[in-house]
Structure formats: structure tokens, C-alpha cells
Amino acid sequence: MKSAFIHVLLPLCFCLALANTSLFDSVLVDMNYDHYAEKNLESLPCYLAMPFNSLINLGYLYIGIYWLLQQTDSKGDPKAGYVKDVFALMAIAYGPVQWVRLATLRRAPSVLDQWVTLPIFAWVPVWCQFIENGWRPRYTFAVELCAILSYGLSLLHDQGFEVALGIQVTFAVIKGFGVHRKYGDFRSQRYLVLALLSCSGFVVLKVLDHTLAKYRLFQHLTGHFWSKVCDILQFHYSFCFLTHLTNRGLKRTE
């Protein structure tokens, strides 16, 4: 647990430190309430100005703590629990990052919110690699470093972050299908499909936030709110998929 905590904390502090410099002053980020379809309530404190979009971030804390407390069958490899704990701690850390962004609408939290998304998605290929070939420190370092550095694309183009995120998502999907073909069964297939549907829902609902707000159903619980629900489900089903295949992979190597 301690090593997993340090693993997540160090890159987070690195990104936090740089996000609070002038390095990313040219990066296109949204820093006003008009970006969100949910109406802000001036009568509430800043951390609840958009209550539904703010409170949904508790879901990341819940799903992270839930999976952090789950025991893994680590008899085959003690690192099985480590890769699970790192991913769980990433979920726990992401909730407050997103909440602070909404509460402050400042550049640094907005940049950090985008940036930390990249190593989170990058951890899926790392976990898949662990399932297939065991723990590979150099591979892990290279993948995470590339994910963190890829945010530099946002300095080159207004849509640089979207390009970097698209690359990370595509890499994660490819590795997911690859490990499923090797160790998968009907159960892992179901988890993989649900994770992909959740990922698609996250993207589509977020993009259509204002469009959907024209309909009464999405005027309070907006598209952005439901996109975060899909994101949390994406975390959950990714955990289900990866832990299930981890146990199957370890059993085959015994």
C-alpha cells in the first residue's frame, strides 16, 4: 500500500507543481460556468456552486476506496495487489482534482484535471502487460512517462490534449483486447464491453452537455453529470475486467 501511494503521489506532485507555473498559460481550458449546462447557484458555497456536478466526484472516492479494500489472489505474483492499488489510488486522487477545478475555475486545477487523466488511462496497458508478462518496471516507467509528457501536445495546438487522450484511450483498448484474446472468457468479454460502453458514454454525454440541456430530463442532472457517472462506471468495469484476467492469468502460470 505504501509503495503504491508513493507511486501515485510523486507524479501527481510533479504535475501539480508545473500546473501552477506559467508553462501552461497558453493551454485552452474552460474556466467559467458557461462551459457547463448545470446552472450555478450563487447562494451555495463555491464547492457546491454546481451541486450535482460537484457531488458526483464522491463517486470516484467511493469506487477507489472500494477497490482498494478488495483482496487479490496474489499467490502467483505479489505485484498483483500493487497494480490494483495504484489504479484505485488514482481514482481516489482524481475525485478531489475534478472537484477543486469546479470549485475554483482557476487555470492550474483545470490543467491538472486534464493532465492526470493521461496516466490514469496509461495504467490500463501497464496492468495488461503485467497480466501477460509479469511486472516490468522499465515498461511501466516508459508508458507512464510518455503519458505525462504527451500533455505537451496541448502547448502545440488547442486540441492537443484531446489528441493525447485519444492516443491513450486507443492504446488502452488495443491492450485490453489483446489480453482478453489471450486469457479471456465470457465474463471478461462482458466486462470489456461494459467498460467500452461506459467510455463511449463518458465522451458523448460530455460533448453533448449543452445540447441535451434543451430537454427537461437533462436540465438538472445534465449531460456532464451523467458523463461522470459513466466515467466512474468505466473505472469500475475496468477493475472488474483487469482483476478477473489477473486471477485467470496467475492461475495458468501456477
Side-chain angles (χ1 to χ4, degrees), residues 38-210:
E38 184 179 358
K39 302 300 181 183
N40 63 299
L41 303 178
E42 295 182 359
S43 59
L44 294 176
C46 63
Y47 55 85
L48 286 176
M50 288 188 292
F52 295 112
N53 278 338
S54 296
L55 290 173
I56 189 59
N57 290 296
L58 291 172
Y60 293 101
L61 300 177
Y62 171 79
I63 207 69
I65 293 172
Y66 172 82
W67 281 102
L68 192 64
L69 297 177
Q70 299 304 303
Q71 299 297 318
T72 57
D73 182 9
S74 59
K75 294 179 181 179
D77 192 328
K79 284 293 184 180
Y82 178 79
V83 293
K84 185 265 298 180
D85 289 349
V86 168
F87 202 41
L89 289 168
M90 286 178 169
I92 293 172
Y94 184 67
V97 168
Q98 171 69 199
W99 203 330
V100 171
R101 176 182 185 176
L102 294 178
T104 64
L105 295 177
R106 292 178 56 248
R107 174 170 294 276
S110 300
V111 167
L112 187 64
D113 175 38
Q114 290 185 341
W115 202 350
V116 298
T117 306
L118 302 174
I120 289 174
F121 272 103
W123 195 252
V124 174
V126 169
W127 198 339
C128 290
Q129 178 73 10
F130 168 75
I131 295 171
E132 292 187 283
N133 301 303
W135 181 246
R136 296 290 187 271
R138 290 184 179 179
Y139 178 86
T140 300
F141 178 77
V143 170
E144 287 205 287
L145 181 62
C146 288
I148 292 173
L149 293 180
S150 68
Y151 190 63
L153 293 175
S154 64
L155 297 171
L156 304 178
H157 194 277
D158 286 348
Q159 276 70 53
F161 165 68
E162 285 76 10
V163 172
L165 182 60
I167 293 172
Q168 296 300 327
V169 172
T170 302
F171 186 31
V173 171
I174 291 173
K175 290 293 288 186
F177 274 108
V179 74
H180 171 68
R181 283 195 299 268
K182 190 170 184 179
Y183 294 117
D185 56 7
F186 178 77
R187 188 175 174 185
S188 65
Q189 178 179 303
R190 178 161 56 93
Y191 290 145
L192 180 58
V193 170
L194 289 171
L196 292 175
L197 287 175
S198 298
C199 182
S200 300
F202 165 68
V203 174
V204 172
L205 289 167
K206 189 172 184 179
V207 170
L208 298 180
D209 188 25
H210 282 283

Side-chain angles (χ1 to χ4, degrees), residues 2-21:
K2 182 179 179 180
S3 56
F5 178 77
I6 294 173
H7 185 125
V8 175
L9 182 62
L10 290 180
L12 180 61
C13 289
F14 172 79
C15 295
L16 178 61
L18 287 184
N20 279 281
T21 68

Side-chain angles (χ1 to χ4, degrees), residues 72-74 77 79-81 83-84 127-128 130-131 179 183 239-253:
T72 57
D73 182 9
S74 59
D77 192 328
K79 284 293 184 180
V83 293
K84 185 265 298 180
W127 198 339
C128 290
F130 168 75
I131 295 171
V179 74
Y183 294 117
F239 272 112
C240 292
F241 173 75
L242 293 165
T243 53
H244 178 64
L245 289 185
T246 297
N247 290 335
R248 286 177 60 83
L250 291 176
K251 288 178 180 177
R252 291 191 179 191
T253 59

